[in-house]
Amino acid sequence: MSNVYKVSAIILAAGKGSRMKTGINKQYLSLGGKPVLAHTIEVFDRAECISEIIVVINKNDNEIFINSVLKPYDFKKITAVAEGGEDRQASVFNGLRLVCPSADIVVVHDGARPLVTTDIIQRSVEAALETGAACVGVPVKDTIKKVDKELNVEYTPDRSELWAIQTPQTFRRRILFDAHEKANRDGFRGTDDSVLAERLGYRVRMVMGSYTNIKITTIEDLAFAETLLKNFLHRGD
């Protein structure tokens, strides 16, 4: 596929990770002997469908990024490093502006999801090629309740229709760029890229992810990821 379509990946690593209370951003914490972010980039660097990687980092993390991620690992596909914005949406747009103009597809992924697989990335790209927009997720396992401000239950949605959204989220480049530009003009802030495409009327295809494709947000997540890395995941995917 990579010989026909150019696929760019934006990896987001600009968050401050304040919930970790570790003194450094979560993307640089050690997981299996290497930084979380290095694990994430490694998967995209290995994925045959990915042509280039743009990493978006916090402006205060330039030194640690260079010394702990860029220099020690021989990543082949990193073409640019962008400065993070005031929120996730702004960070994605900063990265998007550095994407190669000839890119057909753009994949957006959280740097703190190091257990993504090349198979998930590939299927996400294939779905976006077919439909224009796709996001990875998994069916929810728990019953979900909608509550009011006083924490009274208002209703119980049908669990069979609910998915927990992960990344990557993948789009034709023009769709993602237009969605971000329109959101910026309107002053709309979304929690993910999919909602920006949805509000322009695009149908977003759901792609089955994995319950192991976790986002590392807390110390407990990091410990769980260590267990998954050691006992369950075979990284030769």
Side-chain angles (χ1 to χ4, degrees):
M1 182 190 304
S2 57
N3 292 329
V4 179
Y5 298 98
K6 187 174 181 64
V7 181
S8 300
I10 299 172
I11 296 180
L12 300 173
K16 296 180 180 179
S18 57
R19 279 176 284 184
M20 298 292 280
K21 296 181 173 63
T22 59
I24 64 171
N25 287 353
K26 59 189 176 183
Q27 292 90 351
Y28 304 102
L29 295 173
S30 178
L31 172 64
K34 72 170 86 170
V36 168
L37 181 56
H39 281 281
T40 306
I41 296 172
E42 182 181 47
V43 182
F44 282 83
D45 204 60
R46 192 171 66 244
E48 292 184 2
C49 62
I50 299 298
S51 306
E52 69 168 357
I53 297 170
I54 294 93
V55 186
V56 185
I57 66 171
N58 189 290
K59 64 180 180 181
N60 298 317
D61 288 340
N62 189 60
E63 184 176 349
I64 191 172
F65 174 71
I66 291 172
N67 292 330
S68 69
V69 176
L70 209 54
K71 286 184 177 179
Y73 303 99
D74 188 26
F75 297 125
K76 305 293 187 183
K77 297 179 181 178
I78 296 177
T79 59
V81 177
E83 183 178 303
E86 61 184 14
D87 58 15
R88 184 187 189 280
Q89 186 171 313
S91 293
V92 174
F93 194 58
N94 287 352
L96 189 57
R97 286 184 286 191
L98 297 181
V99 163
C100 177
S102 64
D104 301 284
I105 298 291
V106 178
V107 181
V108 181
H109 187 69
D110 298 325
R113 288 189 191 270
L115 304 182
V116 67
T117 66
T118 57
D119 177 64
I120 289 174
I121 297 168
Q122 178 77 27
R123 289 189 285 107
S124 178
V125 169
E126 290 172 353
L129 283 169
E130 181 181 346
T131 67
C135 64
V136 167
V138 289
V140 300
K141 295 180 178 181
D142 299 321
T143 296
I144 305 297
K145 301 286 186 179
K146 171 65 173 65
V147 300
D148 61 21
K149 293 181 179 179
E150 284 73 42
L151 300 184
N152 298 309
V153 174
E154 293 185 335
Y155 65 91
T156 305
D158 182 354
R159 186 172 63 185
S160 67
E161 298 177 348
L162 301 176
W163 286 58
I165 301 307
Q166 303 175 343
T167 61
Q169 296 189 3
T170 309
F171 309 84
R172 289 197 176 273
R173 185 180 65 86
R174 191 70 255 171
I175 290 176
L176 185 59
F177 202 91
D178 288 348
H180 271 269
E181 286 199 318
K182 182 69 163 72
N184 289 340
R185 288 197 302 271
D186 295 346
F188 177 84
R189 311 312 290 175
T191 54
D192 69 355
D193 297 286
S194 175
V195 72
L196 305 188
E198 291 165 31
R199 69 189 295 268
L200 294 191
Y202 291 104
R203 294 176 66 88
V204 179
R205 173 73 57 83
M206 186 65 68
V207 176
M208 176 62 78
S210 170
Y211 291 100
T212 61
N213 183 24
I214 64 170
K215 185 176 183 180
I216 295 176
T217 304
T218 66
I219 291 295
E220 291 77 14
D221 295 332
L222 188 64
F224 183 42
E226 286 276 6
T227 300
L228 291 172
L229 195 63
K230 290 176 181 177
N231 300 317
F232 298 112
L233 291 179
H234 302 285
R235 298 315 302 272
D237 53 89

